[in-house]
């Protein structure tokens, strides 16, 4: 009986999670875990997220001044890597992420370009072009 309940609750959780397709990723923008999506937040949106994982802990501040642009400032603490010099603390980094939506979803998928960690030490640096679509 317990095995049946655990399998049933897992299936219900899986079905409910499909409804929440795009949420904040580890970079503070709409996406999926570490992968960005082409969707952006609504105009005049401000958000903050805390992420604690191994080896990094992040604080993200996200702002969307328009419905086609997202920007994120982050501060990260990387455990397991020493801070330069003779300081007895973990490594720290800060940076800036951005995303421009080129095309809204319509008949064709949404398209966006962006970059992660364009300022700072570039430990998390990446640039991307992303295409995202949903199916109803």
């Amino acid at each position: 009986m317990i095995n049946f309940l655990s399998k049933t609750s897992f299936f219900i959780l899986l079905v409910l999670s499909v409804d929440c397709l795009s949420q904040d990723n580890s970079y503070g923008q709409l996406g999926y875990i570490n992968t960005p999506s082409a969707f952006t937040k609504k105009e005049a949106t401000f958000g903050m997220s805390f992420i604690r994982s191994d080896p990094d802990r992040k604080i993200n501040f996200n702002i969307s001044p328009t419905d086609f642009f997202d920007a994120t400032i982050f501060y990260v603490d990387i455990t397991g890597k020493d801070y330069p010099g003779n300081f007895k603390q973990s490594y720290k980094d800060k940076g800036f992420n951005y995303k421009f939506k080129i095309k809204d979803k319509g008949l064709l998928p949404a398209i966006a370009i962006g970059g992660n960690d364009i300022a700072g030490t570039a430990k998390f640096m990446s640039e991307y072009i992303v295409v995202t679509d949903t199916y109803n």
Side-chain angles (χ1 to χ4, degrees), residues 64-117:
S64 297
T66 66
D67 61 350
F68 61 87
F69 177 71
D70 283 351
T72 305
I73 297 171
F74 70 88
Y75 185 79
V76 63
D77 176 26
I78 304 170
T79 59
K81 181 174 171 66
D82 292 333
Y83 197 80
N86 290 328
F87 299 103
K88 295 194 182 281
Q89 61 177 315
S90 57
Y91 190 79
K92 309 292 190 278
D93 190 15
K94 58 189 169 295
F96 177 76
N97 307 327
Y98 69 92
K99 183 185 342 180
F100 285 102
K101 182 169 45 176
I102 297 172
K103 181 192 167 305
D104 276 328
K105 183 187 172 319
L107 205 54
L108 297 174
I111 302 171
I113 60 170
N116 293 323
D117 200 8

